Amino acid sequence: MSKLPNCPKCQSEYTYEDGSLLVCPECGHEWPVAGEANSSEDKKDFKDANGNILNDGDTVSVIKDLKVKGSSSVLKMGTKVKNIRLVDGDHDIDCKIDGFGAMKLKSEFVKKI
Ligand SMILES: [Zn+2]
């Protein structure tokens, strides 16, 4: 007995596995194996405080006063940040801010303009 799913096109139960694909011998349909073997789909969505998707090059504004690491200055709420770059990590926004220079922000503390 096979645990493979039926063909989504013709419901045939004679599907078989071919590498990372499932193949239906009856209608010729091929589709990717669902589940654990398929871990390449790890594209992360970057979301702002309101849950909007952020993209490279977006302009955002800071939603609360943020202390700037290693200095006594504070990034004021409402500060506009142009041309952000999204990166992986705890602080997921790379940017340059006038008067501050290059810095990193957390996407949860900004909102898209
Ligand atoms: Zn089929």
Side-chain angles (χ1 to χ4, degrees), residues 6 22 64 68 83 88 90 107-108 111 113:
N6 291 356
L22 291 171
K64 59 177 257 184
V68 179
N83 201 17
D88 246 342
D90 180 34
S107 54
E108 63 201 86
K111 67 176 182 196
I113 301 180

Side-chain angles (χ1 to χ4, degrees), residues 32-96:
V33 178
E36 70 277 20
N38 233 9
S39 62
S40 57
E41 176 99 31
D42 60 355
K43 200 165 173 281
K44 187 180 160 191
D45 279 342
F46 295 92
K47 291 185 180 162
D48 72 2
N50 296 325
N52 294 314
I53 304 280
L54 296 169
N55 296 299
D56 283 352
D58 276 353
T59 299
V60 298
S61 82
V62 177
I63 59 162
K64 59 177 257 184
D65 289 356
L66 296 172
K67 277 220 178 95
V68 179
K69 232 191 212 169
S71 87
S72 56
S73 26
V74 172
L75 194 57
K76 287 279 183 202
M77 187 176 106
T79 303
K80 263 191 203 173
V81 184
K82 286 183 196 159
N83 201 17
I84 60 169
R85 212 163 55 83
L86 298 161
V87 294
D88 246 342
D90 180 34
H91 289 65
D92 45 15
I93 296 178
D94 234 352
C95 58
K96 255 190 192 159

